[in-house]
Amino acid sequence: MNGLRRLGLLGLVLALSACAVGGAAGPDAALPVAGDDGSAPPGEALTLTASDGTAVPATLWRAERARAVILALHGYGDYGPSTYGTAAPVWAGAGITTYAPDQRGFGRGPTRGQWPGAEALVADAVAYARALRARHPDLPLILLGHSMGGGIALAAAAQGAPVDGLVLAAPAIWGGSALNPLQRLAAWSAAAVVPDRRFTGEGVVRIQASDNIEAMRALGRDPHYLGAPSARELLGLVRVTDAAAAGVASARQPALLLLGEKDEIVPNDRVERVFETRPGPGRVMRYPEGWHLLFRDLQAPRVHEDVADWVLGTLDPVPSGTASPDQAALP
């Protein structure tokens, strides 16, 4: 029982879910896709090709004259426009084109609910980056990841994704020696014994993911959102953090780490210690009023602007007015 209770807590920590654990969902309507309420222009639907040839849904927000490109990876349970539907239009207005795939196993794709494995998710990110590099050969390409997506982004950069910079938001990178061995053992044991059992953490601990309560309640009702992780997925998330920690020494690109001081899911100090072992230049930005859902918290507009400023300032992209418009189609 103690091991399973630890696993329930590990699920809360690693699943990086977007709901307040133990909180009532309430009768709110589903979270609108960006643009449905007039708050932001909707993105364009397209597909990207995963490493095994699977076509995955993706959303594109075009900058009128792009100065840089972001490949944005969502966290566990979430999907592209859900995570980045309010941030990407801000970045487009600043001259940054954003692509946000629904990673395999999540969102609107045909394999939703089927965990593809940590290695596959990392390989997919490398494949997406290569496709976007081919499409935008003259623009800086930034790989951005939130939560689970941050771990995948760091591992992909270490494995050869052709990107010029990294933005890691509350990332799942505290693997290897930074992960409690008892939690690792509990995850492995549960995956071996009850691989399909899903862990909500209910009755173990109450964790809040954001101060944007309406957005959390609505996300809990979103039909594309994937809820509590299974034991198999928890072990997979452990392996994501391990891949990130193992690859940190090979990720030499300039990097920005975003942390919310009120984050109850990510262990900020351990994440920062892993980040600081990188050989490349890096910057850490902490938000005193930030929670785990940094792109959807009430202070999210500040995060949106900080990402744009860092991308356009640090990477010295093509000056405004000289960049070429987006090409017509992906190769």
Side-chain angles (χ1 to χ4, degrees), residues 2 39 57 70-71 94 98 112 118 121 176 187 191 207 251 262 264 276:
N2 288 339
S39 61
I70 286 177
L71 169 59
T98 300
R112 178 182 181 274
L121 290 170
I207 286 182
K262 296 186 176 183
E264 298 180 356
E276 288 175 347

Side-chain angles (χ1 to χ4, degrees), residues 139-225:
L139 294 179
L141 176 60
I142 295 83
L143 183 53
L144 180 153
H146 174 250
S147 206
M148 178 193 80
I152 293 168
L154 181 56
Q159 294 184 24
V163 298
D164 301 296
L166 291 168
V167 177
L168 307 176
I173 64 174
W174 67 98
S177 61
L179 183 64
N180 185 315
L182 292 177
Q183 293 177 332
R184 182 185 300 280
L185 177 61
W188 182 88
S189 299
V193 177
V194 286
D196 296 318
R197 178 177 173 181
R198 294 195 171 271
F199 292 86
T200 65
E202 185 176 356
V204 179
V205 67
R206 180 187 178 93
I207 286 182
Q208 182 169 324
S210 178
D211 57 353
N212 190 341
I213 304 303
E214 296 305 312
M216 287 194 299
R217 288 174 174 171
L219 185 56
R221 297 174 60 87
D222 188 325
H224 300 303
Y225 177 74

Side-chain angles (χ1 to χ4, degrees), residues 2-331:
N2 288 339
L4 290 179
R5 284 186 178 275
R6 288 193 189 98
L7 181 59
L9 178 58
L10 180 63
L12 298 177
V13 174
L14 290 180
L16 311 176
S17 60
C19 297
V21 177
D28 302 80
L31 186 68
V33 175
D36 286 359
D37 62 356
S39 61
E44 303 173 32
L46 73 159
T47 60
L48 293 175
T49 303
S51 58
D52 70 341
T54 299
V56 300
T59 307
L60 163 65
W61 292 266
R62 297 178 186 265
E64 184 174 349
R65 297 189 67 81
R67 302 170 61 194
V69 177
I70 286 177
L71 169 59
L73 305 178
H74 59 78
Y76 176 86
D78 222 335
Y79 61 107
S82 171
T83 301
Y84 301 107
T86 55
V90 174
W91 300 335
I96 303 169
T97 289
T98 300
Y99 295 81
D102 294 5
Q103 298 184 77
R104 269 198 287 166
F106 301 98
R108 302 158 295 175
T111 62
R112 178 182 181 274
Q114 302 172 29
W115 177 252
E119 291 182 359
L121 290 170
V122 173
D124 289 352
V126 174
Y128 304 148
R130 287 174 177 165
L132 297 186
R133 171 60 75 202
R135 187 183 187 196
H136 303 279
D138 300 322
L139 294 179
L141 176 60
I142 295 83
L143 183 53
L144 180 153
H146 174 250
S147 206
M148 178 193 80
I152 293 168
L154 181 56
Q159 294 184 24
V163 298
D164 301 296
L166 291 168
V167 177
L168 307 176
I173 64 174
W174 67 98
S177 61
L179 183 64
N180 185 315
L182 292 177
Q183 293 177 332
R184 182 185 300 280
L185 177 61
W188 182 88
S189 299
V193 177
V194 286
D196 296 318
R197 178 177 173 181
R198 294 195 171 271
F199 292 86
T200 65
E202 185 176 356
V204 179
V205 67
R206 180 187 178 93
I207 286 182
Q208 182 169 324
S210 178
D211 57 353
N212 190 341
I213 304 303
E214 296 305 312
M216 287 194 299
R217 288 174 174 171
L219 185 56
R221 297 174 60 87
D222 188 325
H224 300 303
Y225 177 74
L226 188 64
S230 68
R232 179 185 292 107
E233 290 163 346
L234 286 177
L235 182 59
L237 288 164
V238 168
R239 289 171 174 161
V240 168
T241 68
D242 286 343
V248 68
S250 301
R252 299 180 177 274
Q253 300 90 343
L256 174 64
L257 174 64
L258 307 175
L259 298 172
E261 294 283 4
K262 296 186 176 183
D263 195 328
E264 298 180 356
I265 295 175
V266 166
N268 284 341
D269 291 343
R270 280 185 282 169
V271 166
E272 190 167 355
R273 283 197 296 270
V274 172
F275 181 80
E276 288 175 347
T277 64
R278 295 177 53 263
R283 180 180 181 186
V284 179
M285 299 190 71
R286 287 178 173 260
Y287 297 90
E289 299 302 317
W291 295 72
H292 186 63
L293 301 188
L294 287 167
F295 298 111
R296 282 169 289 192
D297 293 340
L298 295 181
Q299 54 82 59
R302 178 183 171 191
V303 178
H304 302 165
E305 293 175 3
D306 286 346
V307 169
D309 289 345
W310 183 85
V311 168
L312 297 178
T314 301
L315 299 179
D316 192 26
V318 179
S320 178
T322 65
S324 300
D326 283 329
Q327 297 175 31
L330 285 168

